[in-house]
Amino acid sequence: MMMKQRLLSFSALLVFLLHCTTTIAQAPAKSPKPKLKGPANVTAILEKAHRFNSLIRLMENTQMGDRINTELATASGGLTLFAPADNAFASLKAGTLNSLTDLQKSQLVQFHVLTAYNSLPQFQTVSNPVPTQAGDTSKGHFPLSITMGGNQVNISTGLTNATITSSIYTDGQLAVYEVDKVLLPLEIFNPLPPAPAAAPKKAATPPPPVLAPSPAAPVANITSVDASSAMGLMIRHAAVSFGVAAIAAFFL
């Protein structure tokens, strides 16, 4: 009798354990917490597109890639990058980039970065010249003008006329657009000649001295002297003539 009770108790315990195991197995697994999205990495975005190797090297050499990523993590207005593809860099004259100083290379990259996020429709209402990270937009420095014709976005630097060919990335904070040419700023590739130095002022030439006129001899005195000389000559001539006549008469 006791053995039968033990078997019933063991069976009941076994059924309870099976029920608990089934319940646990059927409970839904907790979904993992979603990872918070960090700021975009501009270099990683360009690498993923597989046709911006020249731009990536230029950004790495100037450390501008790190600077852009830092600004994306801290700035509130976002950024816009115009990215020339490798074929755009290949169309430049040989030695164009090698002839630049380190500062000019940094300015070239900065000239391709607008200081605010711009979607494609926003280019219809931008005010020209558009500010870039290169700084001064006044004429002869870093002017950049953007216009839209239909669905085409045109970019002018004063030396280069380019267009946006495709949208590479946009998230409301960073916009990356492919352009068909490298944007060449006037400040680097066509600097204004320095203003000529002002000619030194010539010293004023003093006026020639005014000579005082010599006093004129009195006319009366001149006339008196001339008359006396003429009278003396006549007397001497008469005396000579009289002497000659007396000698001739003596010998007769």
Side-chain angles (χ1 to χ4, degrees), residues 85-118:
D86 292 332
N87 57 358
F89 279 95
S91 64
L92 295 174
K93 292 182 179 179
T96 296
L97 296 182
N98 293 333
S99 65
L100 302 180
T101 65
D102 291 341
L103 174 61
Q104 289 173 331
K105 290 178 181 178
S106 296
Q107 290 174 330
L108 180 61
V109 176
Q110 291 173 315
F111 191 58
H112 289 72
V113 183
L114 304 186
T115 57
Y117 170 83
N118 290 274

Side-chain angles (χ1 to χ4, degrees), residues 153-233:
V153 180
N154 305 305
I155 307 169
S156 176
T157 72
L159 291 175
T160 306
N161 295 317
T163 58
I164 292 178
T165 57
S166 63
S167 177
I168 305 301
Y169 179 87
T170 179
D171 63 0
Q173 181 71 9
L174 171 67
V176 181
Y177 301 111
E178 180 179 353
V179 291
D180 58 355
K181 292 180 182 178
V182 179
L183 306 179
L184 304 179
L186 285 169
E187 175 71 9
I188 298 176
F189 294 95
N190 188 29
L192 293 176
K201 294 183 178 180
K202 294 183 179 180
T205 305
V210 178
L211 299 178
S214 57
V219 177
N221 293 342
I222 294 175
T223 305
S224 176
V225 172
D226 290 344
S228 299
S229 299
M231 183 61 69
L233 288 174

Side-chain angles (χ1 to χ4, degrees), residues 36-47:
L36 297 176
K37 184 180 179 181
N41 185 304
V42 66
T43 305
I45 293 170
L46 295 173
E47 288 176 345

